[in-house]
Amino acid sequence: LGKKIQKARECRSWPHTMLHLLVLPSMLLSLVVIESTLHTRHRPPPSVWSHVETPARQEAAAAALRAAPFAARLDFRAAGVGVTHDAAASSLLAVHDAEHLQAVRRLSTRGGGFDADTYCAPGSWEAMLDASAAWTEALELAARAEGPALALARPPGHHATRGTAMGFCLVNFAAAAAAAVLGSDPNARVAILDWDVHHGNGVAEMVAELGPRVRYCSTHERGGFPRTGLDETARGTHGNLLHLPLPTGSSGEAYLRRLRDEALPFLLAAEEGGEGGAHWPTVLLICAGYDALAADELAGLGLTPEDFATSIDVIVKEFGYPAEKLALGLEGGYCLDQQVGMPAGLRSTVGALVEG
């Protein structure tokens, strides 16, 4: 098997060649869940009691996983242990302006809002550190091939830019985690797939700054918030960005076609250079939002929970990417129905990883 893998990696058409070279035995994986235990400190103020970004989101997600038939293969760990809050703060500082982080910290002492959608509660700063620690630990585990791993945390983070909180997002967890992995290993290559229904404008901005060792691809609803990611030819200075907008009403079939034909070939393609020859992404991070589900009223795509299981199968089985080097972090998803909403989408995703 080792010789087959090496042969595949020497071929520039990897990962598609992996399909012909590898016939892997079926095996059951375990998945590490790094769970933020401080997320309830980030909660809507009474003046916006109807806000959809609430502690109930993570509670519904955790309940779905703990009740799943594969729950015995989930290793739940508390955030803030494997990666400390101090380390998480350092990673956030690598991608955010210090003034922005200070503003979040100040506002979280009393509560308030950065805009009509993006609130900050007393205790939100501690929740942000806990969530960032979860994302970073999940990615570091996968970078060591000790995954798959999931950061079960909230709120989402992919809209936060270097100096601006927006779209429910105070800080950018995905970019901070990527920066931490890149900073700790000069040979690391990070690929980020964002299947949230909204374009991750903040991650895209930060990936463009982080340089060619990280790539970002977003599949999202065309014209949805924040109305970015519309130009499919905009690849960034380093050619490490790919935006794949989908028309409103698009089905899972349309999404999966773009995943197979464009997103994964871009994210998993070899990069030539260095003494070792071609460089492959050493870890794949999925910004796992579930607001592209047909049941989610905040957007207009028509995916089903099973489409996310298929996404995992495409990545692992069709493209041959090792599941042990895959990390996920919860982004959006606001329908909490256990059968058709975000909990069902997450359960379907994780089930595909651990049950094959």
Side-chain angles (χ1 to χ4, degrees), residues 136-338:
T136 300
E137 183 174 358
L139 192 60
E140 288 183 347
L141 285 170
R144 298 195 299 266
E146 296 175 12
L150 165 68
L152 187 57
R154 51 169 289 277
H158 67 159
H159 294 310
T161 68
R162 175 170 282 278
T164 304
M166 60 184 293
F168 307 167
C169 308
L170 297 181
V171 295
N172 201 303
F173 307 121
V181 168
L182 294 173
S184 64
D185 180 1
N187 296 314
R189 300 290 189 275
V190 179
I192 303 175
L193 170 63
D194 189 341
W195 67 38
D196 190 282
V197 78
H198 303 109
H199 178 246
N201 58 300
V203 184
E205 173 190 291
M206 293 172 177
V207 164
E209 296 176 355
L210 286 171
R213 290 199 293 142
V214 57
R215 298 172 184 170
Y216 173 78
C217 177
S218 171
T219 60
H220 50 275
E221 182 180 7
R222 181 183 295 277
F225 181 89
R227 295 177 175 80
T228 55
L230 302 179
D231 185 357
E232 297 187 32
T233 66
R235 297 299 183 92
T237 304
H238 301 287
N240 59 344
L241 302 175
L242 180 60
H243 311 303
L244 300 177
L246 297 164
T248 297
S250 292
S251 65
E253 181 181 357
Y255 153 74
L256 289 168
R257 186 182 308 117
R258 302 211 79 174
L259 180 72
R260 282 187 176 98
D261 296 346
E262 298 171 81
L264 294 178
F266 167 75
L267 290 172
L268 303 182
E271 170 201 346
E272 296 294 333
E275 295 181 0
H279 293 296
W280 315 101
T282 53
V283 64
L284 174 62
L285 173 62
I286 298 177
C287 292
Y290 294 94
D291 34 14
L293 288 165
D296 200 301
E297 297 182 354
L298 264 63
L301 294 188
L303 276 65
T304 67
E306 291 73 23
D307 289 324
F308 294 104
T310 303
S311 300
I312 294 298
D313 287 343
V314 172
I315 293 167
V316 176
K317 295 179 180 178
E318 295 186 24
F319 277 75
Y321 197 78
E324 296 86 354
K325 303 186 75 143
L326 197 153
L328 308 95
L330 182 63
E331 291 280 3
Y334 304 96
C335 173
L336 305 188
D337 187 284
Q338 289 285 335

